[in-house]
Amino acid sequence: MKIGIIGGSGLDDPDILKDPVKLAVTTAYGEPSSPILAGEINDTQTLILARHGTKHQYSPTQVNNRANIQALKEAGATHILATTACGSLREEIDRGHLVILDQFIDFTRFRKNTFADSFEHGAVHTPMAEPFDRMLSDQLYETAQGLGLSVHKGGCVITIEGPRFSTIAESKMFRMWGADVINMSTAPEAMLANEAGIPYGAVAMSTDYDCWKEDEEPVTWEEILRVFNNNADNVKRVLIETVGQMG
């Protein structure tokens, strides 16, 4: 077993690895967002990839999701755990709460969302009814619970293109659609992992209430960073414990 971790903003800390080694991987789809760091967590082989680059230099639209997933596959990842910051679309999902995602809505516009650029070698229609692996999701949830963290089992994320935040009208519409949280990263990453045949699980950390909650100030990047910095260690603890239990 070899666990690939795709770290969102600030959640790609190489210090969680023992004896990390940098792997330079180039794929048929280009270079991934960052070199892959290979090492161990509690004797489990682990790979870490920084979704937005080691300097957070790639906007959500610029992230080469196909190269990221393919690079992890070529490096031998048997499972992928992804982390992401998100906005809450539900009163009960407060700032700092974790959500173990189980569904997504793709509201992106400009991203490559399949490895199949054509059907020259046969049609590719990947099932996507349950895009998040149940075993990984259960493990993430039980680990977070065991650590005494505020965690929600299951949640639908809507991924928007970004980099702008939503309008109030959009935010309210997403709530009506059944989305629980909002981010700019899960789609098409989850789709591509499924297409590549790699079980995929994701833990999201709520940092704000987007802008639907009009009794609060609309979300700002500065507020996201403040909440994120206060809670990032919780996500890292979940990852370390989860990987350790999977080995």
Side-chain angles (χ1 to χ4, degrees):
M1 179 177 290
K2 185 180 288 188
I3 311 299
I5 294 175
I6 300 179
S9 306
L11 296 172
D12 47 21
D13 187 355
D15 291 338
I16 68 176
L17 289 180
K18 178 183 177 182
D19 301 326
V21 176
K22 188 178 293 186
L23 306 178
V25 181
T26 300
T27 76
Y29 306 97
E31 294 188 1
S33 298
S34 74
I36 292 174
L37 291 178
E40 291 186 352
I41 294 178
N42 296 335
D43 298 324
T44 301
Q45 293 185 67
T46 308
L47 308 166
I48 292 182
L49 188 150
R51 181 185 291 119
H52 293 283
T54 53
K55 298 180 181 178
H56 201 87
Q57 67 268 39
Y58 298 116
S59 76
T61 300
Q62 288 179 307
V63 172
N64 190 339
N65 292 284
R66 296 199 300 181
N68 287 351
I69 297 298
Q70 184 63 27
L72 287 172
K73 184 174 183 177
E74 292 180 13
T78 58
H79 302 74
I80 291 176
L81 297 176
T83 66
T84 177
C86 68
S88 170
L89 297 173
R90 302 294 165 193
E91 183 91 44
E92 63 271 19
I93 302 175
D94 204 347
R95 293 175 177 85
H97 284 201
L98 305 183
V99 181
I100 310 304
L101 303 176
D102 63 359
Q103 288 290 314
F104 70 76
I105 297 171
D106 180 13
F107 203 63
T108 64
R109 294 176 172 86
F110 306 117
R111 308 181 190 187
K112 291 283 189 179
N113 62 9
T114 176
F115 291 109
D117 286 326
S118 77
F119 283 0
E120 180 182 358
H121 302 292
V124 177
H125 298 288
T126 306
M128 207 63 60
E130 296 187 12
F132 299 90
D133 182 78
R134 286 191 181 184
M135 184 275 287
L136 293 178
S137 297
D138 288 346
Q139 190 69 63
L140 288 167
Y141 178 72
E142 291 166 10
T143 298
Q145 266 204 324
L147 291 170
L149 302 176
S150 297
V151 58
H152 302 263
K153 186 175 186 179
C156 178
V157 60
I158 183 161
T159 300
I160 62 174
E161 187 63 48
R164 70 168 177 87
F165 295 125
S166 305
T167 65
I168 292 174
E170 289 170 331
S171 195
K172 290 182 176 180
M173 178 179 71
F174 299 150
R175 280 167 47 82
M176 292 173 63
W177 284 1
D180 301 299
V181 292
I182 180 170
N183 73 5
M184 300 177 189
S185 60
T186 299
E189 187 176 273
M191 304 180 216
L192 293 164
N194 278 268
E195 194 174 294
I198 305 175
Y200 179 94
V203 53
M205 180 178 70
S206 171
T207 58
D208 58 88
Y209 276 110
D210 203 41
C211 61
W212 64 271
K213 203 168 182 292
E214 295 183 73
D215 59 342
E216 297 198 15
E217 289 296 315
V219 58
T220 65
W221 180 240
E222 291 72 24
E223 174 67 4
I224 287 175
L225 289 178
R226 185 189 68 78
V227 176
F228 174 86
N229 290 332
N230 289 338
N231 294 278
D233 284 345
N234 289 337
V235 179
K236 294 175 189 176
R237 289 166 63 204
V238 171
L239 289 177
I240 291 169
E241 291 290 327
T242 299
V243 172
Q245 293 171 28
M246 291 174 63

